Amino acid sequence: MDWVVISAVAEATAAFGVIGSLIFVGYQVKQNSAGLRYAAVQTQLSSTQDLAGELALSSEVAEIYQQGTYDIENMEGTSRVRFLILGSRMLRSFQSVHWMWQRGVLDDGLFRSQSVLLEDIVAYPGYQYLWKLRRHQYDTDFQHYMDK
């Protein structure tokens, strides 16, 4: 065998090695992406649960939330501002869930369960008031979703 044949065999072997490495790297990237998606979903759901925890642990916060949800028109001063902040946090959380769902990070089943919760919440007068007041602060896709 001459050196040209040996060189060709070595190059072919190296090419197969590179192709095998690329396949392995592609598989690793796919696994890493799935892990990152899972972590993003867990972080978002924890954020929503933390907000619910605040309501459960503080009677003052729960009272402000309840009054704002049902009767924001009769709230004044600090209590009104606190409700608007709580409500905005809740809507931001749902906007994040919507964003993740649109990009395939969140599956349909989990999105539907969050959507039902959102529909229940925004049916209350305080959230309807909040949405009219702050709608412009949310992204266009979420605005369209909320308006339908």
Side-chain angles (χ1 to χ4, degrees):
M1 225 188 294
D2 67 15
W3 289 109
V4 173
V5 173
I6 293 172
S7 175
V9 169
E11 284 183 29
T13 303
F16 284 124
V18 168
I19 291 170
S21 294
L22 289 175
I23 290 171
F24 178 73
V25 167
Y27 176 76
Q28 290 294 89
V29 167
K30 181 179 176 184
Q31 293 294 359
N32 189 38
S33 295
L36 291 174
R37 279 195 301 271
Y38 178 77
V41 169
Q42 289 297 17
T43 299
Q44 182 55 46
L45 294 178
S46 291
S47 172
T48 303
Q49 290 171 347
D50 290 346
L51 183 55
E54 284 181 44
L55 296 174
L57 294 175
S58 170
S59 58
E60 179 187 5
V61 173
E63 181 147 339
I64 288 169
Y65 185 80
Q66 182 180 13
Q67 184 181 1
T69 298
Y70 291 100
D71 192 20
I72 192 167
E73 298 291 338
N74 290 318
M75 290 181 84
E76 295 179 1
T78 305
S79 293
R80 184 183 186 106
V81 170
R82 289 175 92 184
F83 171 75
L84 292 174
I85 291 169
L86 283 169
S88 293
R89 281 181 59 199
M90 185 75 75
L91 289 177
R92 287 273 174 230
S93 180
F94 285 117
Q95 177 180 248
S96 294
V97 166
H98 182 260
W99 185 91
M100 287 191 290
W101 174 71
Q102 282 188 311
R103 284 149 184 84
V105 175
L106 192 67
D107 71 17
D108 290 342
L110 190 51
F111 178 71
R112 273 193 303 276
S113 69
Q114 293 293 302
S115 294
V116 169
L117 179 59
L118 175 62
E119 289 169 14
D120 288 348
I121 289 170
V122 298
Y124 291 106
Y127 274 93
Q128 291 173 9
Y129 175 88
L130 174 61
W131 183 247
K132 287 177 189 170
L133 182 68
R134 302 273 168 88
R135 179 185 184 277
H136 66 281
Q137 295 178 355
Y138 296 86
D139 71 56
T140 306
D141 291 336
F142 188 65
Q143 288 176 12
H144 293 309
Y145 176 76
M146 288 287 291
D147 291 342
K148 64 178 181 161

